[in-house]
Amino acid sequence: MQAAPVRATAIPSFSTALRAVESLLMSSGQRTARRNAWTSVLEDRRRAKDRIEAQQIVERALARRP
């Protein structure tokens, strides 16, 4: 009985496979636009989180006032 063959190459991650499909389907300009849009979404989320934290700090400070 023989042992199962060992795979020499790593199986690509889902994100790597998705990028490969994306590169086949989209032109480089579309890829850049999509990545820029996603970066913008992440930045908006970060700013919203910072805004909520600042609002909570101000509300706590106002609640402590005599």
Side-chain angles (χ1 to χ4, degrees):
M1 192 165 199
Q2 289 182 322
V6 176
R7 185 180 295 249
T9 58
I11 298 172
S13 68
F14 179 75
S15 61
T16 302
L18 192 59
R19 281 192 195 100
V21 170
E22 175 190 58
S23 69
L24 293 172
L25 298 176
M26 293 185 181
S27 70
S28 64
Q30 289 173 323
R31 274 193 311 259
T32 301
R34 188 191 60 78
R35 286 191 183 125
N36 288 344
W38 182 244
T39 300
S40 190
V41 166
L42 295 177
E43 184 63 21
D44 286 346
R45 288 178 181 175
R46 187 194 61 78
R47 279 195 299 264
K49 180 182 170 191
D50 290 346
R51 188 170 46 250
I52 290 168
E53 289 174 359
Q55 181 180 358
Q56 290 171 345
I57 291 169
V58 169
E59 287 172 356
R60 275 185 252 139
L62 291 175
R64 291 185 195 151
R65 290 178 65 188

